[in-house]
Amino acid sequence: MPNWSVMILATADVQKDHCYWVVTAWGYEQQSKRLAVGIAASLDEVYQQVFSPAVPFVSEQGGLVQNSILVVDSGFRKDEVTDFAKRDPRRVHIAKGLSTYFGPIAEQKIEKASGVVVWNINTMQSKDTLDRLIESPDPLKWQAYPDIGDEYCAQIGSERKIVNPQTK
């Protein structure tokens, strides 16, 4: 984990029969570095990989570093994701994408029905931010995982923003 980072954050994107996950070190001014990426068969496997990885996260000084939060996209298999988040509400939060450009990039709320923390993510602003970080001339803004594979690249590529000329 780089010296400049202030936190580690894991995210998971739930699919029909698997989950993509990524662990990222974040610093000030949206500086980031991917620490690990993977595909898991279940949310329990994601939990194990991001909170108790086989190869622990290590600081540049050599000390072990723990991930603090896992944010799971609830756009697919929402009931399963919500039940999963209820098992460790301090560290597991759910995310919901909002298709708007107005308001904050992310807003934290407590879902009344379940009591879990929900991050409402402004997907339009998020995709613009992701594009700016990837395209930045500063190589420290977007540091990819060294053994990055085609699956991760395809997933990042699928996050492109599609502009509908009818609703522009």
Side-chain angles (χ1 to χ4, degrees):
M1 182 166 125
N3 285 333
W4 49 258
S5 64
V6 294
M7 75 172 296
I8 297 177
L9 175 72
T11 56
D13 189 11
V14 178
Q15 305 295 308
K16 180 179 178 181
D17 60 356
H18 63 281
C19 303
Y20 293 107
W21 59 267
V22 61
V23 178
T24 306
W26 286 96
Y28 295 108
E29 298 181 19
Q30 298 178 328
Q31 187 172 353
S32 65
K33 181 176 183 179
R34 249 56 51 231
L35 301 178
V37 297
I39 301 172
S42 68
L43 286 167
D44 288 330
E45 186 181 336
V46 171
Y47 188 93
Q48 177 71 28
Q49 292 296 327
V50 302
F51 290 121
S52 302
V55 178
F57 304 115
V58 179
S59 71
E60 289 181 353
Q61 291 79 27
L64 296 181
V65 182
Q66 292 292 318
N67 175 40
S68 55
I69 297 175
L70 169 61
V71 180
V72 183
D73 185 355
S74 66
F76 193 63
R77 297 169 31 195
K78 183 182 184 310
D79 292 341
E80 178 185 353
V81 171
T82 301
D83 289 343
F84 175 73
K86 285 180 184 179
R87 294 180 4 208
D88 188 356
R90 184 178 58 82
R91 297 194 299 176
V92 179
H93 301 175
I94 61 177
K96 179 175 180 13
L98 303 177
S99 296
T100 180
Y101 205 85
F102 302 102
I105 196 166
E107 184 175 40
Q108 182 179 344
K109 295 188 175 191
I110 303 294
E111 187 178 71
K112 290 180 184 177
S114 67
V116 300
V117 175
V118 177
W119 285 91
N120 290 320
I121 308 294
N122 184 320
T123 57
M124 301 294 273
Q125 286 187 41
S126 296
K127 290 178 182 189
D128 283 350
T129 300
L130 179 62
D131 182 62
R132 279 193 302 276
L133 292 172
I134 291 172
E135 296 295 325
S136 174
D138 180 352
L140 297 179
K141 287 293 184 184
W142 183 262
Q143 299 177 55
Y145 183 68
D147 298 324
I148 201 162
D150 292 342
E151 286 274 345
Y152 181 76
C153 293
Q155 186 180 12
I156 290 295
S158 74
E159 293 300 328
R160 70 191 178 282
K161 186 167 87 174
I162 299 170
V163 178
N164 181 346
Q166 303 293 325
T167 58
K168 210 172 186 183

